[in-house]
Amino acid sequence: MPVGSTDPPRISLFDRLRLYSEAALYIGATTGLSLGLYFMFRRYHTSADIPDRALKSRTKIRGYVLDVSDGDSLRVYHTPLVRWFEQKPEKKRGLAKYTISVRLSAVDAPEVSHFGKPAQPLSAEAKQLLVDQVLNKRVTIVPLAKDQYGRVVATVTYRSWWLGKTNAAHVMLRQGMATLYTGGNAQYDGEKELLERIQSDAKRAKRGIWGLRNYESPAAYKQKHK
């Protein structure tokens, strides 16, 4: 540059590209960190709060089970990663406003009595089996889809000191307290063959619903009582 010139120094194309790349990396890193912290702290209050990307990525969601309504439906109070050790709230009215409505994936349990419709045989026993497994316990759910009622269809697992990680749906099938769900939007999380084997074993042993003389599937029951 000539002596006394007031023109700014020229920056080569290579240096410009390097500066742009560094700026982009910085923005990306800070944005990623911010999003990561946001999702670590964010609590999903209801099923509606769970975004589609969480379903597509099978993002694990952990929390306490505060209610079991039948053999395949429950409500989970979400505790994000950084709040994992917080105490679960006392069950109170208005659960729908602060819990995630979850439908066990892959299984269909006998229908309980509601809206004036009679209960199916073993519906109370199926509900009790799910209660014994998960009520007031920490669980991990892997969301797979949402059903027509807005519930999250998910695998639900929990830990016990003698069995380790247990899949609640496996137990329901193994004990003959649910049948494999084959309706629309069925979700098996890559376990369809395993689930079919579990159900076949329960059938051969005539456990639960498979020991009933006039067994009617939950799907047939719902069709009849539309």
Side-chain angles (χ1 to χ4, degrees), residues 103-178:
R103 170 74 155 76
L104 286 186
S105 65
V107 299
D108 207 4
E111 293 292 307
V112 298
S113 175
H114 53 77
F115 304 122
K117 300 173 185 177
Q120 282 193 278
L122 297 182
S123 60
E125 290 84 350
K127 176 181 177 179
Q128 188 60 49
L129 179 56
L130 189 57
V131 165
D132 292 342
Q133 290 189 79
V134 301
L135 186 61
N136 296 320
K137 296 177 183 176
R138 292 185 187 275
V139 297
T140 299
I141 70 172
V142 178
L144 307 174
K146 290 184 182 179
D147 68 10
Q148 67 269 36
Y149 305 110
R151 298 177 298 182
V152 174
V153 180
T155 60
V156 178
T157 58
Y158 59 94
R159 290 190 176 276
S160 55
W161 66 270
W162 66 93
L163 292 175
K165 187 170 75 169
T166 302
N167 185 309
H170 291 183
V171 175
M172 300 303 294
L173 279 180
R174 189 173 294 115
Q175 297 302 319
M177 289 299 165

Side-chain angles (χ1 to χ4, degrees), residues 37-51 61-64 66 75-84 86-89 92 94-100:
L37 290 172
Y38 171 72
F39 287 116
M40 285 175 68
F41 281 94
R42 183 188 181 189
R43 190 173 80 78
Y44 297 130
H45 293 274
T46 68
S47 309
D49 295 332
I50 299 176
I61 298 172
R62 297 174 174 86
Y64 287 101
L66 296 188
R75 284 193 171 275
V76 176
Y77 177 83
H78 178 212
T79 53
L81 180 62
V82 295
R83 298 161 64 178
W84 175 240
E86 72 177 41
Q87 294 297 309
K88 69 179 179 66
K92 57 185 179 181
L95 276 174
K97 296 180 180 179
Y98 65 94
T99 57
I100 300 169

